[in-house]
Amino acid sequence: VLDSQYGMYVWPCAVVLAQYLWVHRRSLPGKRVLEIGAGVSLPGVLAAKCGAEVTLSDSEEVPQCLQNCRRSCLLNHLPHVPIIGLTWGQLSPQLLGLAPVDIILGSDVFFDPKDFEDILTTIYFLLEKNPHAQFWTTYQVRSADWSIEALLCKWKLKSTPIPLHSFGADSEHLASSSLPGRHTIEMMIISLAEPGGT
């Protein structure tokens, strides 16, 4: 799979994150949600269908991913969901101009270790602006050597693991992947280590 195609599929992590949103759907109406690295936008589209005020984003350097976001919204009768280009690690006018958020979503954004710090830089910026917000993220454990723990400490962030069985996402038919080298999918919620203080 080429880099430019990462955002062209519904990956298993997106299905797991969508399941978490579905289980918590009663808490979503009126919540301000931003999905980063949205690709085909399954979690963000579901959040919008459940009443959240959603903004979808993907890299401004990959216009085809932004087009997929638009297509997903149109196919799901959500023509007014804002779609913006956000490149991780860059302080762009789009990032600086974002409205307040309550929840940030990201499925399988922790894919390539070279992007981890850029992702967490962006998340830290958003959480500093919105100290009570949370980053809900699912990821595949692809290597025991890939860890974000040191980066979480560096950026004064904390993570809380969410067991898949706690929201019915541990069954084979939901989270399984036919991709070569299938690995475990995990979920965590990232927030400021000390909300409101710095």
Side-chain angles (χ1 to χ4, degrees), residues 3 14 18 36 46 61 63 67 70 88 93 121 132-133 139 178 190-191:
D3 286 15
I36 66 166
L46 179 63
E61 297 165 6
Q67 188 56 41
R70 286 185 195 90
W88 302 326
T121 301
H132 298 290
Y139 59 98
S178 59
I190 294 175
S191 56

Side-chain angles (χ1 to χ4, degrees), residues 37-106:
V40 293
S41 318
L42 174 63
V45 164
L46 179 63
K49 287 285 201 178
C50 291
E53 298 171 23
V54 174
T55 298
L56 300 174
S57 73
D58 211 311
S59 174
E60 57 194 338
E61 297 165 6
V62 188
Q64 195 173 358
C65 285
L66 294 171
Q67 188 56 41
N68 277 348
C69 292
R70 286 185 195 90
R71 227 177 275 131
S72 291
C73 288
L74 292 174
L75 289 170
N76 285 282
H77 311 290
L78 298 167
H80 302 297
V81 169
I83 297 158
I84 60 172
L86 282 184
T87 301
W88 302 326
Q90 293 183 10
L91 282 179
S92 64
Q94 294 89 334
L95 181 64
L96 294 170
L98 270 176
V101 296
D102 302 303
I103 300 165
I104 305 156
L105 302 174

Side-chain angles (χ1 to χ4, degrees), residues 16-181:
V16 172
L17 187 54
Q19 174 71 8
Y20 188 79
L21 288 161
W22 181 248
V23 167
H24 293 89
R25 63 191 176 276
R26 287 181 183 81
S27 69
L28 292 175
K31 287 282 195 297
R32 298 160 303 183
V33 173
L34 169 69
E35 184 175 3
I36 66 166
V40 293
S41 318
L42 174 63
V45 164
L46 179 63
K49 287 285 201 178
C50 291
E53 298 171 23
V54 174
T55 298
L56 300 174
S57 73
D58 211 311
S59 174
E60 57 194 338
E61 297 165 6
V62 188
Q64 195 173 358
C65 285
L66 294 171
Q67 188 56 41
N68 277 348
C69 292
R70 286 185 195 90
R71 227 177 275 131
S72 291
C73 288
L74 292 174
L75 289 170
N76 285 282
H77 311 290
L78 298 167
H80 302 297
V81 169
I83 297 158
I84 60 172
L86 282 184
T87 301
W88 302 326
Q90 293 183 10
L91 282 179
S92 64
Q94 294 89 334
L95 181 64
L96 294 170
L98 270 176
V101 296
D102 302 303
I103 300 165
I104 305 156
L105 302 174
S107 66
D108 220 0
V109 294
F110 293 110
F111 180 84
D112 189 337
K114 74 175 174 49
D115 295 328
F116 290 4
E117 183 144 29
D118 286 343
I119 294 164
L120 289 176
T121 301
T122 300
I123 294 302
Y124 179 77
F125 175 82
L126 290 166
L127 293 177
E128 275 287 291
K129 276 182 70 172
N130 306 276
H132 298 290
Q134 296 179 328
F135 177 38
W136 297 0
T137 185
T138 50
Y139 59 98
Q140 275 189 290
V141 179
R142 292 181 170 88
S143 168
D145 298 331
W146 294 4
S147 174
I148 62 166
E149 290 306 315
L151 291 171
L152 290 172
C153 286
K154 175 181 176 178
W155 288 102
K156 297 182 176 70
L157 299 169
K158 66 177 179 181
S159 68
T160 304
I162 308 296
L164 268 56
H165 67 82
S166 71
F167 58 99
D170 56 342
S171 59
E172 271 297 306
H173 74 280
L174 180 74
S176 67
S177 166
S178 59
L179 298 171

